[in-house]
Amino acid sequence: MKKQLLSAILLGATLFGAKAQLSPHDLNAPFGWATCTSLTTGDTYPVTGGNDGSLTTLKSNGGDMKAALNDAIQHYDIVVLDGSDGDFTISSSLTLKELRDKTIVGINNARLRSQFHVTDEIKAALDSVGVKNMSGNDGGGTLVNGVSVKEEGEYYTRKTLIELLGDEKESYRKSGIFTLNQCENIIIRNLAFIGPGSVDVGGYDLISVIGSTHLWIDHCAFTDGMDGNMDITQKADFVTVSWCTFAYTEQSYAHAFSNLIAGSDDPSQGEFNLNVTWANCWWQAGCQNRMPMARFGVIHLFNNFYDCPGASRCINPRKDSDFLIENNYFAPGVTRIFSQTDAAAYVWRGNLFSEAFTPQDYGTVLVPYTYTLYEASEVEPVVSDPQNGAGATLKNPLDMTPGTSAMETAETAAPLWRSGSFIIARDASATIDLYSMSGSLLDSQKGRLDTAPLPPGNYLTRCRGEVMRVICR
C-alpha cells in the first residue's frame, strides 16, 4: 500500500493591502492549544468564535455597561465594542456561562474598566496597619460578616476595607470584567481591560476562565487586575493567549500576581486539563509573580517578552505541570526568572537572558500542534512595536484570515519543506530531529529525513525554529 505523507506548517503568505499593519510574525488566526482536541492531537479544532453569525456594535453610554454588554453577548454571535464614546465601565464581573461560538472584539481604543478602584485613601489605611509586612500563609481570623480568612495579610486588608467603606458584603471584591464559565469556542481580541488595582482580598480577575475550552485571547491589554490579570482554573483547557500585554501601575497596592493556572494542588482542578499556549506576550513593569504559575497542565511559552525588572518570580511550574519554554527574551533587571515546585517536566530552548541565569532541563515536553518560532533576539522589537506588537494594536480585529501577515511567501520562508516521503531542510547543513508524539527522539538527520520507514501515525519534526507535525498514512 502506498504511504501518504501529510504535513502542516503555520506559515504566512504575502501581505496585501489593509493587512500590511500586522507583524510578519502574526499568524492572524487561532493556533496552539486552542486548536487541539487531546494531549496528542493538534491543529484539529476549528476555533471560529461567532464566525459569520449575527453582529452588533455597542458603544458606552457613560454609565454601568454590564447589563447592556451581557444582553449583546447573549443575543449576538459577534459583539464589536466601539470605544469612540468612551470607556465601558463594569460594576462587577460579568459571568458568561455555558456560551458557545462567540466573538468579542474592540475597535477605536475600546477599554473595559472596573467601576471600583483602589484609592490613595485605601492605600494609606492599609499602610497604617502594616499589611505589606504581614504573612501570606496563616495568621488570619473571622471578619465581622462571619467570613473566615486564613491568611493574615488578606484578613487585615479586608477588615480595613470593611471599616473604611462600610460594606460588609464586600461587593468591591467582584471588580473584574469577564468570568467565562463552561464556555466553548470563544474569541476575544483587541480589547483593553483595566482593573481597580491589585490588592490582596481574594477578589476577581480581569478575566477568569473557569472550566471553559477552546479559547483564543489575542491582542488584548490587561492592567491592574484585583486578584490577577487573567487566571485559568477548574478544568479549563485548550487555551491560547497571544500578543497580549500584562502590567500593573501605581494604581495597584499589593499582590501583583498576573496569571495563575489552577487554583490549588487538588487534582480536581484538572489533572489532565489546563493546557495553555502563551505566545508573543509582554509582561511589563509592575508584574511581580505568576507569569504564569501553573499546576497540572502542559504550558507552552514562546517568543514572549519579560520586561518586568524587580519581579519576585516570573515562570513558576508547580504540581505535575509541564513547561516548554522557547525563544523568550528576559530584559535587564529580570533576575528571578524561574522557580519550580513538584513540576513534572520543564524544557528550555533558544531563550535569551540579559542577567546571569543557567537554565536546566528536567524531563521532556512536547506539544501536538504546529508552530513557528523566531529568534529570541528579535522578541523585544517585535512584541513591543506600538504599531503591530502586543496589546490592542489591530486595525481590523474581525479580519482573521489565516497567514495574511507574513512578509514572505511560504515557499521562500519555510526552513522545512516536503517532497514525496522526504522532509527537506532548505539549509542542507541544518539538522532535522524526528520525535514521537510522546516525546521520544526517534531520529536526527542533516539536510533531509526519509519518513518512508516510519509506521503510520503522527510525528513531530524540528529544524531550528520550525516545528512541523507529520502524518504518515
Side-chain angles (χ1 to χ4, degrees):
M1 182 177 68
K2 184 178 179 180
K3 181 182 288 185
Q4 182 182 7
L5 174 66
L6 304 177
S7 62
I9 312 177
L10 287 182
L11 295 168
T14 307
L15 257 129
F16 293 105
K19 301 182 180 74
Q21 81 277 2
L22 294 174
S23 166
H25 302 289
D26 193 336
L27 299 173
N28 199 40
F31 64 96
W33 276 117
T35 66
C36 298
T37 50
S38 77
L39 287 171
T40 57
T41 308
D43 304 328
T44 52
Y45 185 98
V47 181
T48 58
N51 204 1
D52 296 323
S54 58
L55 181 149
T56 188
T57 299
L58 189 65
K59 292 184 177 182
S60 174
N61 61 17
D64 181 6
M65 292 296 296
K66 180 178 178 179
L69 184 57
N70 182 57
D71 185 69
I73 294 171
Q74 296 292 336
H75 292 96
Y76 292 89
D77 302 309
I78 303 168
V79 177
V80 178
L81 302 181
D82 184 345
S84 58
D85 285 350
D87 292 350
F88 294 81
T89 300
I90 309 296
S91 56
S92 61
S93 185
L94 171 57
T95 297
L96 303 174
K97 188 169 184 179
E98 298 179 350
L99 293 183
R100 292 176 54 96
D101 311 331
K102 300 287 184 178
T103 296
I104 307 168
V105 303
I107 60 173
N108 296 323
N109 194 33
R111 306 193 304 180
L112 295 99
R113 179 187 294 273
S114 64
Q115 191 172 67
F116 173 81
H117 62 276
V118 177
T119 63
D120 290 341
E121 182 184 17
I122 289 172
K123 293 177 184 179
L126 296 176
D127 282 342
S128 70
V129 296
V131 163
K132 287 185 177 179
N133 298 319
M134 293 181 181
S135 171
N137 296 313
D138 47 30
T142 301
L143 298 170
V144 68
N145 57 15
V147 176
S148 178
V149 181
K150 179 182 177 182
E151 299 173 3
E152 181 186 28
E154 180 181 339
Y155 168 73
Y156 279 98
T157 298
R158 292 171 65 174
K159 178 178 182 295
T160 301
L161 287 175
I162 289 174
E163 294 169 353
L164 181 66
L165 303 176
D167 178 12
E168 292 188 7
K169 294 182 179 180
E170 300 183 281
S171 55
Y172 69 89
R173 294 177 64 232
K174 297 182 179 180
S175 295
I177 305 299
F178 288 140
T179 299
L180 304 176
N181 191 340
Q182 306 294 324
C183 296
E184 182 180 349
N185 188 25
I186 307 294
I187 294 173
I188 299 175
R189 300 187 88 193
N190 211 50
L191 287 165
F193 298 88
I194 303 171
S198 62
V199 62
D200 189 10
V201 295
Y204 280 43
D205 314 302
L206 288 172
I207 291 185
S208 296
V209 178
I210 301 173
S212 296
T213 60
H214 301 293
L215 310 182
W216 182 37
I217 300 172
D218 180 62
H219 277 284
C220 290
F222 297 84
T223 307
D224 288 330
M226 172 174 276
D227 186 61
N229 278 321
M230 181 174 63
D231 288 0
I232 299 168
T233 62
Q234 299 181 35
K235 295 186 178 180
D237 210 353
F238 305 130
V239 178
T240 295
V241 185
S242 55
W243 298 97
C244 288
T245 64
F246 303 95
Y248 293 91
T249 69
E250 292 181 356
Q251 184 78 39
S252 290
Y253 179 76
H255 196 79
F257 297 171
S258 191
N259 304 106
L260 169 72
I261 302 170
S264 75
D265 286 349
D266 191 326
S268 66
Q269 274 283 317
E271 199 169 6
F272 302 104
N273 309 112
L274 302 166
N275 301 296
V276 185
T277 300
W278 305 80
N280 303 290
C281 291
W282 184 5
W283 280 279
Q284 300 177 344
C287 294
Q288 286 294 312
N289 208 320
R290 300 180 184 173
M291 295 174 258
M293 185 268 268
R295 303 173 174 98
F296 303 112
V298 179
I299 311 303
H300 191 190
L301 295 158
F302 69 89
N303 288 135
N304 298 296
F305 181 21
Y306 287 86
D307 186 23
C308 45
S312 60
R313 186 184 295 122
C314 294
I315 301 172
N316 186 202
R318 300 282 287 272
K319 184 176 176 61
D320 294 340
S321 62
D322 299 78
F323 272 62
L324 180 56
I325 308 162
E326 300 185 284
N327 292 42
N328 302 283
Y329 173 60
F330 297 82
V334 181
T335 58
R336 297 182 178 182
I337 290 169
F338 181 81
S339 176
Q340 73 84 27
T341 305
D342 299 326
Y346 39 90
V347 173
W348 299 79
R349 295 175 182 155
N351 300 281
L352 182 60
F353 309 101
S354 298
E355 305 289 348
F357 177 73
T358 303
Q360 295 183 338
D361 293 352
Y362 177 73
T364 301
V365 185
L366 283 176
V367 292
Y369 52 82
T370 304
Y371 61 99
T372 300
L373 301 169
Y374 54 94
E375 294 297 325
S377 59
E378 299 178 56
V379 166
E380 180 177 6
V382 168
V383 172
S384 66
D385 191 314
Q387 299 301 314
N388 54 26
T393 60
L394 296 175
K395 303 300 186 295
N396 183 3
L398 288 179
D399 180 357
M400 295 176 236
T401 309
T404 55
S405 61
M407 294 293 190
E408 300 175 275
T409 64
E411 183 63 24
T412 59
L416 292 175
W417 61 290
R418 62 183 176 86
S419 177
S421 64
F422 286 93
I423 303 295
I424 300 173
R426 295 198 177 276
D427 181 351
S429 66
T431 298
I432 305 172
D433 293 324
L434 177 72
Y435 293 90
S436 69
M437 296 304 291
S438 64
S440 299
L441 179 64
L442 303 178
D443 197 4
S444 292
Q445 298 291 334
K446 280 194 179 294
R448 55 193 286 155
L449 186 147
D450 189 4
T451 64
L454 297 175
N458 292 345
Y459 302 87
L460 289 175
T461 60
R462 179 184 175 95
C463 179
R464 295 180 175 169
E466 185 73 41
V467 178
M468 183 168 72
R469 184 165 60 98
V470 176
I471 306 168
C472 294
R473 294 176 177 172

